[in-house]
């Protein structure tokens, strides 16, 4: 089954990255990532290898949504002389580490705000990498995937107003369904999270009560529920708790064999988080000059409503702003070149591809054009 292939792939990649981290020239380490992510070093950029030709080591931290992507790409690039250490600590922590220049890149799901950029040590480029569906997954015996839910109902569940699975509001959306009286356990993120940003943005867009009482952000004050660190932490609690419901990126839902809801879109249709439906969310999106796109609550036909974009953030001049040497800058450029080239071919549906939607060709071209502007101490990166 597909989730078994994903689990096996993730296990193999994690093992390879742990070996890579042990062999790295980095000497200091950051806090450990969430379960399922590589527990590798994220030492300062200036301590990375200065090997020429784009070999050496690059260190990143941040989004747990994107962790399986960077782990897989790191496994491939290890055979080309490039070690990619990625610490899945959440988007907020990743941005903080980039601000401090203790990593070469940050994985972040929400686009950078002006206030985020102002904290950095120099100009930062944000590169869209992929799109991932944020599932509303549940552990409910006898109930298959496809339970219909809309924004106001999910809002009432996550605010603690709906307490059992046979609540009239859920039954009204699912006439004829046999729903148990099992108590609902809400599971949410405990860390600063881009997945939380995407989920709460969707809730705020679709449920006025949620918008006025809780709102959106990487960190919100949850009215109820149990916290888990990272997508993997939320997934673990949902898996272990009968009656639980939580929001997790699709790769983690598939890996754990979860059942998940069909979510009501702006046209009134209920849409499952398949890869084609995730891809559809990118159709017709506005692309600002800094490439800070958003695919949450897309109005595109057939689009799953809770699709998060994920970005790779890096200094425009990693040497001047981030303290990197020329070898690290070359290694970072090699990683980014792969990300917006062959790496996109590893994303999609079927086979051993990772369950994320790849970028549209036009957005790939914008990433590549932006990459060409990166420098090391003002000179082109060779």
């Amino acid at each position: 089954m597909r989730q078994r292939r994903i689990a096996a792939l993730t296990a193999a990649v994690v093992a390879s990255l742990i070996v890579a981290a042990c062999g790295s020239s980095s000497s200091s380490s950051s806090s450990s990532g969430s379960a399922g992510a590589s527990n590798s070093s994220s030492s300062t950029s200036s301590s990375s290898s200065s090997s020429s030709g784009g070999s050496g080591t690059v260190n990143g931290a941040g989004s747990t949504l994107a962790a399986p992507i960077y782990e897989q790409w790191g496994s491939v690039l290890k055979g080309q002389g490039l070690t990619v250490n990625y610490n899945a600590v959440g988007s907020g922590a990743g941005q903080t580490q980039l601000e401090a220049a203790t990593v070469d890149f940050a994985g972040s799901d929400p686009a950078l705000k002006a206030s985020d950029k102002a904290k950095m040590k120099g100009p930062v480029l944000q590169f869209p990498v992929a799109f991932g569906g944020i599932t509303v997954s549940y552990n409910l015996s006898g109930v298959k995937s496809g339970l219909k839910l809309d924004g106001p109902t999910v809002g009432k569940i996550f605010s603690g107003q709906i307490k059992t699975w046979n609540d009239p509001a859920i039954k009204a959306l699912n006439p004829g369904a046999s729903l148990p009286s099992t108590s609902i356990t809400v599971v949410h993120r405990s860390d600063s999270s881009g997945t939380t940003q995407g989920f709460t943005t969707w809730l705020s867009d679709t449920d006025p009560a949620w918008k006025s009482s809780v709102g959106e952000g990487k960190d919100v004050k949850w009215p109820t529920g149990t916290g888990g660190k990272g997508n993997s932490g939320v997934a673990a609690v949902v898996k272990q708790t009968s009656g639980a419901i939580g929001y997790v990126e699709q790769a983690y839902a598939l890996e754990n064999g979860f059942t998940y809801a069909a979510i009501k879109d702006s046209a009134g249709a209920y849409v499952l988080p398949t890869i084609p439906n995730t891809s559809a969310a990118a159709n017709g999106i506005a692309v600002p000059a800094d490439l800070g796109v958003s695919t949450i609550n897309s109005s595109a036909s057939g689009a799953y409503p809770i699709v998060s974009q994920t970005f790779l953030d890096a200094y425009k001049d990693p040497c001047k702003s981030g303290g990197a040497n020329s070898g690290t800058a070359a290694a970072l450029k090699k990683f980014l070149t792969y990300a917006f080239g062959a790496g996109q071919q590893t994303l999609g549906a079927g086979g051993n591809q990772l369950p994320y939607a790849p970028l549209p060709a036009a957005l790939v071209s914008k990433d590549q054009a932006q990459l060409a502007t990166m420098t090391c101490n003002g000179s082109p990166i060779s």
Side-chain angles (χ1 to χ4, degrees):
M1 295 178 67
R2 184 171 189 178
Q3 54 261 37
R4 292 176 181 169
R5 291 198 299 271
I6 295 169
L9 174 61
T10 301
V13 169
V14 170
S16 69
L17 287 178
I18 289 173
V19 171
C22 292
S24 165
S25 62
S26 301
S27 58
S28 62
S29 62
S30 65
S31 60
S32 61
S34 58
S38 67
N39 187 21
S40 54
S41 169
S42 59
S43 59
T44 58
S45 301
S46 58
S47 66
S48 299
S49 170
S50 59
S51 300
S52 62
S55 60
T57 299
V58 290
N59 296 312
S63 167
T64 65
L65 181 150
I69 299 175
Y70 297 141
E71 290 166 357
Q72 165 68 355
W73 290 354
S75 180
V76 172
L77 291 169
K78 181 65 177 175
Q80 301 177 25
L82 179 62
T83 297
V84 179
N85 292 328
Y86 187 74
N87 207 357
V89 291
S91 295
Q95 287 184 9
T96 298
Q97 291 189 36
L98 186 63
E99 290 168 17
T102 56
V103 292
D104 303 307
F105 71 93
S108 178
D109 301 331
L112 292 171
K113 299 177 182 178
S115 57
D116 298 323
K117 296 176 183 178
K119 297 176 184 177
M120 299 293 177
K121 294 182 179 295
V124 170
L125 301 176
Q126 59 183 354
F127 299 89
V129 172
F131 305 111
I134 301 173
T135 69
V136 179
S137 291
Y138 45 86
N139 180 351
L140 196 58
S141 179
V143 179
K144 299 179 180 180
S145 284
L147 187 69
K148 295 178 179 178
L149 294 175
D150 60 14
T153 304
V154 174
K156 287 184 175 65
I157 292 172
F158 276 79
S159 64
Q161 297 174 57
I162 292 178
K163 300 180 182 297
T164 62
W165 282 102
N166 65 347
D167 186 276
I170 301 177
K171 292 175 70 174
L173 298 177
N174 298 274
S178 179
L179 296 171
S181 59
T182 307
S183 295
I184 296 174
T185 298
V186 169
V187 189
H188 56 74
R189 290 286 287 271
S190 61
D191 53 335
S192 184
S193 159
T195 306
T196 297
Q197 174 80 61
F199 181 66
T200 58
T201 297
W202 169 74
L203 275 176
S204 294
D205 284 352
T206 56
D207 181 17
W210 181 274
K211 183 176 183 178
S212 63
S213 62
V214 180
E216 64 182 75
K218 295 191 294 291
D219 306 273
V220 297
K221 187 175 181 180
W222 294 101
T224 189
T226 299
K229 185 177 180 181
N231 270 283
S232 57
V234 172
V237 178
V238 171
K239 191 170 186 177
Q240 296 165 8
T241 310
S242 177
I245 186 170
Y247 57 97
V248 294
E249 198 281 325
Q250 188 179 33
Y252 294 84
L254 289 172
E255 180 181 340
N256 288 279
F258 286 160
T259 47
Y260 40 75
I263 301 297
K264 187 177 181 179
D265 68 10
S266 57
Y270 289 88
V271 185
L272 283 166
T274 64
I275 296 301
N277 294 343
T278 297
S279 296
N283 293 337
I285 58 172
V287 181
D290 68 354
L291 307 192
V293 298
S294 175
T295 49
I296 294 294
N297 208 30
S298 170
S299 60
S301 176
Y304 179 65
I306 326 177
V307 173
S308 177
Q309 63 294 318
T310 190
F311 299 92
L312 189 155
D313 301 331
Y315 285 110
K316 184 173 183 178
D317 192 319
C319 302
K320 182 183 297 183
S321 302
N325 56 39
S326 59
T328 299
L332 179 60
K333 184 175 181 180
K334 179 176 180 178
F335 176 50
L336 294 173
T337 299
Y338 176 83
F340 311 125
Q344 290 294 309
Q345 304 306 313
T346 68
L347 311 175
N352 289 322
Q353 289 178 298
L354 292 164
Y356 298 81
L359 300 176
L363 198 50
V364 169
S365 295
K366 291 182 182 295
D367 272 335
Q368 293 170 339
Q370 187 170 247
L371 176 57
T373 70
M374 289 184 72
T375 58
C376 177
N377 290 320
S379 299
I381 300 174
S382 58

